[in-house]
Amino acid sequence: MTELAHTKITALITGASSGIGYELAKVFARNGHNLILVARNEQTLNQLAGELRAKFGITVKVILKDLSIITAAQEIVDELGQEAVSVDILVNNAGFDVYGNFYETDLNRELQMIQVNLVTLTQLTKLLVGDMVKRRRGKILNLGSIGSFASSPLNAVYSATKAYVLSFSEAIAEELQGSGVTVTCLCPGATRTEFQKKAQMDDIRLIKRGVMNADTVAQIAFRALMAGRRVVVSGLYNQIQILFLRLLPRAVIVKLSKFMLQRA
C-alpha cells in the first residue's frame, strides 16, 4: 500500500494546474483530503503539491498526463492500481474551448476538445465508479457549463460537449441513487481564469459581465458535492440566465447566445 492509501479520503482532480481545478485542489486540501492531481504542467503541479503537503499535512500524488490522448484515462487508472490507490472522489474538471465559427475553426483542436471534455471524462468515470459502488461510497464531480443548457453559436462544439456532461451526469446520478455514490454537475458561467485567454475569448460580451472568481466557484462546487446535489449553477447572475433559458423559445436562446459570445 502506498502513502495515499487510505487513512483519509482521496480525491482525484483532473486539470488541476490552473483555474477552477487549481482552486478545487486547495479546497479539498483545506478539508483534509489526500489528492491525486492530474494535468500536463509539471512545474505548476509539483509546486502546488509541495505547498499543499506543507500547509495541510496531506499526501499528494502528481500524474502528468495529456488527457486528449485516448489511452490517458486507462493509464491513470493502471498507475493507481499498481500502487493500490483507491479514489473516493473523482473530479472531472479538465477541459478547454475552441472559439469561433465552426466552418473556420481547427478540426484537430475540436477533436482533442471532444476527447478531453467528453470522452476522457466518460472513461475515467466508467473505470472508477464500479469500485465506488462496491465500497458503497464515493462522489463524482463533473464540470459542465451554463453552455450545457443552450446551443451556442461561436461555441458550437464546446457547448455540445458540455450538454453531454450535464445529461450524462444527471442520468448516472439517478442510476446510482441508493448506491452510496453521488454525482454532481457543476455549471459555472464566466469565471476569471486562463481559460478564456487560451481560447481567445477574453473580449466577448459574456466575459464583460457577471464574471466570478475561480476560488468562489470552487467553494460552491465543493459544498454542492459534499451535499450530494445533482446540478449546481454557480452565482446568482448565472442562475438567472438559466431561468431565462428554460422559459424562452430555443430559437430566441440561440440568437441571445450568439450575441453574448460575440466580441464586445
Side-chain angles (χ1 to χ4, degrees):
M1 303 288 279
T2 71
E3 62 177 354
L4 273 173
H6 238 68
T7 57
K8 296 182 179 179
I9 294 173
T10 297
L12 186 157
I13 304 173
T14 65
S17 61
S18 64
I20 296 171
Y22 184 91
E23 297 299 334
L24 277 168
K26 293 193 288 186
V27 174
F28 276 100
R30 281 199 300 271
N31 285 272
H33 295 72
N34 290 330
L35 296 173
I36 304 160
L37 305 180
V38 181
R40 294 182 299 173
N41 191 321
E42 181 175 8
Q43 181 177 354
T44 302
L45 275 190
N46 284 330
Q47 181 177 342
L48 175 62
E51 291 173 357
L52 296 180
R53 290 186 193 109
K55 188 171 183 179
F56 299 107
I58 61 169
T59 57
V60 185
K61 178 178 176 61
V62 168
I63 298 180
L64 301 175
K65 197 65 64 176
D66 182 350
L67 298 182
S68 70
I69 297 172
I70 195 168
T71 57
Q74 188 66 60
E75 289 169 358
I76 291 167
V77 173
D78 287 347
E79 181 174 337
L80 296 176
Q82 289 168 5
E83 300 179 13
V85 176
S86 295
V87 175
D88 302 293
I89 299 173
L90 170 62
V91 180
N92 284 308
N93 165 78
F96 68 93
D97 198 349
V98 177
Y99 173 79
N101 290 307
F102 178 70
Y103 68 88
E104 296 176 314
T105 47
D106 182 86
L107 175 60
N108 287 331
R109 286 292 289 162
E110 284 168 333
L111 293 175
Q112 290 174 342
M113 178 174 63
I114 291 169
Q115 180 67 42
V116 175
N117 294 10
L118 189 161
V119 179
T120 297
L121 176 149
T122 305
Q123 290 171 319
L124 274 175
T125 304
K126 187 79 165 184
L127 292 168
L128 293 174
V129 71
D131 283 342
M132 293 181 183
V133 172
K134 288 177 184 177
R135 296 193 300 269
R136 296 198 62 79
R137 60 181 173 82
K139 294 182 180 295
I140 298 169
L141 176 64
N142 292 330
L143 198 76
S145 165
I146 57 170
S148 298
F149 297 90
S151 303
S152 303
L154 302 174
N155 232 355
V157 179
Y158 173 80
S159 287
T161 67
K162 294 304 183 178
Y164 170 92
V165 172
L166 176 59
S167 176
F168 171 68
S169 300
E170 289 185 303
I172 64 171
E174 181 62 26
E175 291 177 358
L176 291 166
Q177 187 170 7
S179 70
V181 181
T182 62
V183 181
T184 299
C185 186
L186 169 68
C187 296
T191 306
R192 194 169 285 106
T193 69
E194 291 294 307
F195 180 91
Q196 291 86 12
K197 186 176 182 180
K198 290 177 181 177
Q200 299 181 332
M201 296 172 63
D202 47 358
D203 60 348
I204 66 172
R205 290 188 178 96
L206 182 65
I207 306 302
K208 301 296 184 180
R209 50 176 65 85
V211 180
M212 297 183 68
N213 291 324
D215 59 343
T216 302
V217 174
Q219 292 170 39
I220 292 170
F222 181 83
R223 290 194 296 269
L225 179 69
M226 292 301 116
R229 292 177 58 188
R230 290 192 180 182
V231 180
V232 57
V233 177
S234 56
L236 179 61
Y237 177 76
N238 296 316
Q239 292 167 9
I240 292 170
Q241 287 190 77
I242 299 305
L243 177 61
F244 278 106
L245 290 177
R246 286 172 169 161
L247 296 174
L248 293 172
R250 290 186 66 84
V252 175
I253 291 169
V254 171
K255 291 185 181 298
L256 286 174
S257 296
K258 183 178 180 181
F259 175 79
M260 293 301 293
L261 287 164
Q262 288 174 328
R263 303 192 187 282

